Amino acid sequence: MCGIVGFTGREGALPILIRGLYSLEYRGYDSAGIAAFTKEGLRVIKTRGRIKNLEDKIIAEGGLDCTCGIGHTRWATHGGPSDRNSHPHLGGKEGKVAVVHNGIIENYLELRQRLEAHGYEFHSETDTETVAHLIDYLHTGRREDLAMTVLKAVGRLRGSYALGVVSMDNPEEIVAARRDNPLVIGLGMGENMIASDITAIISRTRKYIILDDNEVAIVRPDGVVVMNEFGDEVEKEIHTVTWDLSAAEKGGYEHFMIKEIMEQPQAVSSTVRPRVQEGAVRFEELGLTEDRLRKAKYIHIIGCGSALHAGMVGKHVIESMCRIRCSATVASEFRYENPIISPDDLCIVISQSGETADTLAAMRLAKEAGAFTLAIVNVVSSTIAREADGVLYTWAGPEISVATTKAYSAQLSALYLIAANLARICGTIDAQEEAHICDELFALSDRIRQTLQCKEQMQYEASLYANRTHVFFLGRGLDYAAALEASLKLKEISYIHSEAYAAGELKHGTISLIEEGTLVVALATQPALYEKTVSNIREVVARGAAVILVTTEDFDGDASQCQQVIRLPKCQSMFSASLSIVPLQLLAYYVSVQLGLDVDKPRNLAKSVTVE
C-alpha cells in the first residue's frame, strides 16, 4: 500500500516520476502528488484521486521543469483522502523540506504536540506531516547535512516507515530511510532513483540496492551513499533485475488480472521444475537439513488473505502425506494468541510480496522462540526472504493486479513440494511414491492449461450471475479451503457480498440465508466426499438456490439439480485445489468486467499490506 518514487539526474524528472507512479498503482492508492525543484524553488502539487488527476493539475499549474523530485501514491490511514492529506508534505514555516512516507508513525501525536509547542502549524491530519516538521526542526540553524538530520529524526520515531526527503539546501539530493517498509535504490548512469518497488525503476535501470532497516541513503546523480543507524558508511550488495519490463506490462490483455490468470501454467512450472531432479524433490537452497525436518513435530503455517488460503490447503496436504500436526493461522492473530512454539517446530510463512507486515511480525516471533522459519515468497530479496532461515522463491514473475492469481497457484505448488520432501524424509512415502508425486506435479501446469479452456464458459456464467447480491461457496476438506479463496476473489474485485462455508456447517445457521435465486457455488473434487456434498446441494436447491458445481471429470454423483457443471481434468485429488480455483478466478474476473469495475485496482485494497 502507498508508493514512493524519486529521481535525481540530468534530464527532466517529471515524466520519469509520473511513469514511476503509474507503475506503482497496483499497490493501492486514493491520492497522488509530486515535490520537485524548479527555478521557482521547491514546489508541491498533489491531489485526491488518480494519477491522471495529478497530471491534469500539473498542466493547469504550468508544469514542473525539474531534474530532481519525489512522488507518492497515498492509501489513507491518518485522515481521509483529500488534497491536504495527500503527500508530499512540507516541513517548516518556509516549506524548505518535503517528505513522502509509507507506513505508520505510532508516536506522531506526542511529536505533533511538542512541535506545536515550538510554533509549528499543521495543515493535515496525517502522521507524515509530523515527520516533515520534525526534520525541519532538527535541521534549522544547524550545519549538519540533511542525511544526518534524517538519521536523528528517525531515532525519535516509533512505528514503520519508508521515507523520501528533499531539502532546499541541496536541490540535487534525495535522502531515503526505511524501517519495516520496502525501499529500493535504482543505480543508473548520471542518475539514481528511489522506489517502493522494482517496477518503478526498471524502465531506467536494472541495477539496484535494497535498504535494510534503520539505514539512511544519500542519493545524488553521481552516486549513492548508505549509512547505518550510527552514521557509518556501509557497503551494499548490488542486485540485478532478471525479468523483462514486458513481464510487468499487459502484453495485449485488457487487464493484468486476466494476463496473470493465463500465466498460471508457467508460474507453476517455474516453481516446480527447478526443485525436482530424478524423481525427487531437492531443496539445497533452503538451508533446511533432513535432520531438522525429522525433528519437526509441529508445523505452523502463517499467512494473510490468499496466502492463508494456500496455507490451509498446505495444512491438509502435509497432514495427509506426512502425518505431522500442522496449523494454518492468520498472521495478524498469531502473535496475540500467545502461541506455543517449540525450538524443533517448523514455521512456514507465506507472502507474495515478502513485505506483509503482520506476516513479518509473526515470523520474527517464531524465530525468537527458536523455530526454523521457512518463507515462501515471490519477490527476491524482500524483507521476509532476507530474514527467514530458509526461503523458497516461487519465481512467478511480477504480479501487478491486486487480486492475486498466479502467485497463489505458485504458493500451492511450493507447499506440495514441501509436503513431498517432508513425507520422504519422515518415511511416510518411499522413493517410488515420491517419484509418482513428482510426475503429478510436473503434469500440474498442463492440467491448469487444460482447465483454462473453460474461459469462455465462465464468461457466459458471469453474464448470468453478475446481478446477484449474495453468493455462497461451499466445500468440504480441501474444497473448503479452495472455496475461501474463490469467495475472496469474487468479493474483492466485484464488491458482491460473498461467503465461503464448510458445507457441513450449512445446516448450523447459514442455510437461513438461502432464498430464491441465491447463487451457490459448490466444489466437489474429493471422491470420498461426493455424496455428502451432493446432499448439501439438494438442501440449497430445495430453498431456491441456483447452483454451479465445480467437480472432476470422473464425478459420478447426481448433478441433475445444478444449473451448470464445470468439470476439471483428472488429477491426484490432493492437488485439486490448483485446478478448482481457476474457473472461479475467471468467474470473479468476468463478473467484475461485466459490472464495469476497475479489475486491477479494486477500491480500498492494496497489493502489499505493509502496515498492521
Side-chain angles (χ1 to χ4, degrees):
M1 54 177 58
C2 302
I4 288 173
V5 63
F7 174 87
T8 180
R10 304 294 179 227
E11 61 182 275
L14 181 59
I16 297 168
L17 293 172
I18 291 292
R19 181 170 185 173
L21 292 177
Y22 272 118
S23 72
L24 297 172
E25 279 192 302
Y26 73 95
R27 297 174 67 86
Y29 73 106
D30 48 50
S31 57
I34 286 176
F37 294 105
T38 69
K39 294 176 182 179
E40 293 80 30
L42 178 58
R43 289 186 61 196
V44 172
I45 301 177
K46 54 186 182 176
T47 184
R48 177 180 178 178
R50 294 300 186 189
I51 296 167
K52 181 62 169 63
N53 298 1
L54 175 64
E55 289 185 278
D56 292 342
K57 190 170 183 178
I58 290 171
I59 293 170
E61 295 192 16
L64 286 172
D65 184 10
C66 59
T67 58
C68 179
I70 52 178
H72 191 264
T73 52
R74 176 180 186 254
W75 193 83
T77 53
H78 294 67
S82 67
D83 287 5
R84 67 190 180 98
N85 287 336
S86 304
H87 298 207
H89 287 284
L90 291 171
K93 297 175 183 178
E94 300 176 11
K96 292 180 62 177
V97 172
V99 172
V100 291
H101 164 229
N102 292 350
I104 290 179
I105 306 303
E106 295 171 358
N107 61 331
Y108 85 99
L109 280 177
E110 171 192 337
L111 292 170
R112 179 170 179 149
Q113 291 167 359
R114 292 189 180 187
L115 289 163
E116 285 176 331
H118 284 279
Y120 282 85
E121 294 184 12
F122 285 76
H123 305 285
S124 76
E125 304 164 83
T126 68
D127 52 345
T128 304
E129 190 179 5
T130 304
V131 179
H133 286 318
L134 178 63
I135 291 171
D136 177 82
Y137 171 72
L138 294 173
H139 197 49
T140 301
R142 292 166 173 80
R143 293 184 178 180
E144 64 191 11
D145 60 27
L146 179 62
M148 294 305 295
T149 304
V150 171
L151 202 58
K152 278 187 177 181
V154 298
R156 289 164 167 77
L157 303 179
R158 291 199 311 271
S160 63
Y161 57 78
L163 297 172
V165 185
V166 292
S167 168
M168 288 290 291
D169 290 345
N170 191 336
E172 286 192 336
E173 179 181 278
I174 302 171
V175 173
R178 67 151 281 179
R179 181 192 296 156
D180 292 337
N181 260 265
L183 200 66
V184 300
I185 300 174
L187 307 176
M189 298 293 292
E191 63 183 50
N192 292 294
M193 298 183 69
I194 68 169
S196 300
D197 196 299
I198 293 168
T199 55
I201 68 169
I202 194 172
S203 65
R204 305 295 300 184
T205 180
R206 290 180 172 274
K207 303 291 184 182
Y208 68 99
I209 60 176
I210 300 170
L211 279 192
D212 287 317
D213 280 353
N214 305 313
E215 289 182 338
V216 171
I218 305 164
V219 183
R220 301 187 181 109
D222 56 354
V224 174
V225 176
V226 179
M227 301 183 299
N228 61 22
E229 58 193 305
F230 301 105
D232 301 322
E233 188 173 335
V234 294
E235 291 291 326
K236 301 294 293 183
E237 180 183 358
I238 297 176
H239 302 272
T240 302
V241 181
T242 56
W243 41 269
D244 294 329
L245 180 60
S246 60
E249 295 177 341
K250 292 179 184 175
Y253 288 95
E254 185 178 359
H255 300 98
F256 280 110
M257 185 176 178
I258 188 62
K259 173 179 180 279
E260 289 157 6
I261 289 173
M262 301 306 291
E263 288 175 340
Q264 286 178 112
Q266 182 57 51
V268 169
S269 179
S270 296
T271 302
V272 170
R273 288 190 175 276
R275 275 84 183 215
V276 175
Q277 300 169 16
E278 298 177 349
V281 178
R282 303 293 184 216
F283 282 145
E284 283 77 7
E285 81 268 34
L286 295 188
L288 183 56
T289 65
E290 292 193 2
D291 183 59
R292 184 67 189 256
L293 282 172
R294 286 192 191 95
K295 290 180 180 178
K297 299 296 185 291
Y298 199 97
I299 298 174
H300 308 269
I301 303 179
I302 299 168
C304 300
S306 294
L308 174 66
H309 300 157
M312 293 175 68
V313 174
K315 171 190 181 298
H316 280 272
V317 174
I318 290 171
E319 287 191 336
S320 175
M321 289 179 62
C322 309
R323 309 309 297 160
I324 296 175
R325 291 187 181 275
C326 188
S327 63
T329 308
V330 180
S332 57
E333 293 293 321
F334 184 77
R335 283 193 301 160
Y336 306 109
E337 292 179 343
N338 193 20
I340 300 170
I341 306 171
S342 162
D344 287 334
D345 289 354
L346 172 63
C347 180
I348 302 173
V349 294
I350 309 172
S351 168
Q352 188 281 140
S353 68
E355 304 290 350
T356 311
D358 290 314
T359 307
L360 177 60
M363 184 186 78
R364 286 171 173 169
L365 178 65
K367 280 176 68 75
E368 288 173 8
F372 188 98
T373 56
L374 174 60
I376 298 175
V377 299
N378 190 38
V379 179
V380 175
S381 300
S382 54
T383 304
I384 289 175
R386 286 181 285 125
E387 293 192 16
D389 296 311
V391 57
L392 200 165
Y393 287 115
T394 53
W395 307 121
E399 187 177 65
I400 306 302
S401 180
V402 167
T404 184
T405 51
K406 68 175 181 176
Y408 171 78
S409 290
Q411 289 164 358
L412 289 180
S413 301
L415 288 161
Y416 300 154
L417 289 167
I418 291 169
N421 183 247
L422 185 58
R424 177 184 56 81
I425 290 168
C426 295
T428 54
I429 62 172
D430 58 26
Q432 185 176 355
E433 290 170 310
E434 183 182 19
H436 173 69
I437 290 170
C438 288
D439 288 341
E440 287 290 309
L441 292 177
F442 270 139
L444 198 54
S445 59
D446 283 337
R447 287 172 179 148
I448 293 173
R449 191 172 287 109
Q450 293 173 44
T451 307
L452 285 166
Q453 293 176 10
C454 73
K455 182 168 173 279
E456 290 185 4
Q457 182 180 359
M458 299 318 297
Q459 187 173 10
Y460 173 70
E461 306 296 349
S463 71
L464 297 178
Y465 298 110
N467 63 346
R468 296 300 195 269
T469 54
H470 304 284
V471 180
F472 293 91
F473 291 80
L474 303 178
R476 292 172 178 265
L478 280 171
D479 289 331
Y480 171 52
L484 285 165
E485 175 61 11
S487 176
L488 177 61
K489 284 285 104 36
L490 182 66
K491 71 181 74 173
E492 67 184 337
I493 64 169
S494 74
Y495 319 144
I496 294 173
H497 170 247
S498 171
E499 301 290 347
Y501 284 91
E505 286 294 290
L506 193 64
K507 61 184 72 67
H508 296 284
T510 311
I511 202 165
S512 66
L513 298 173
I514 304 298
E515 57 188 9
E516 192 70 32
T518 301
L519 176 61
V520 173
V521 180
L523 290 84
T525 69
Q526 310 297 297
L529 299 171
Y530 284 166
E531 289 185 1
K532 297 289 187 184
T533 303
V534 168
S535 295
N536 298 132
I537 291 171
R538 287 178 177 146
E539 288 172 342
V540 297
V541 168
R543 288 155 179 84
V547 177
I548 297 176
L549 173 64
V550 178
T551 188
T552 58
E553 65 179 21
D554 56 355
F555 175 76
D556 57 2
D558 180 11
S560 61
Q561 294 185 305
C562 301
Q563 274 64 40
Q564 285 81 28
V565 178
I566 313 300
R567 294 189 180 271
L568 307 172
K570 188 176 181 180
C571 79
Q572 192 160 334
S573 61
M574 74 175 74
F575 303 145
S576 64
S578 291
L579 303 186
S580 62
I581 191 58
V582 172
L584 302 179
Q585 291 169 341
L586 289 165
L587 178 67
Y589 170 75
Y590 284 117
V591 166
S592 183
V593 171
Q594 188 83 15
L595 295 174
L597 301 174
D598 193 342
V599 176
D600 289 329
K601 299 182 287 293
R603 69 189 183 198
N604 302 331
L605 298 181
K607 182 66 175 174
S608 178
V609 183
T610 54
V611 296
E612 295 184 50

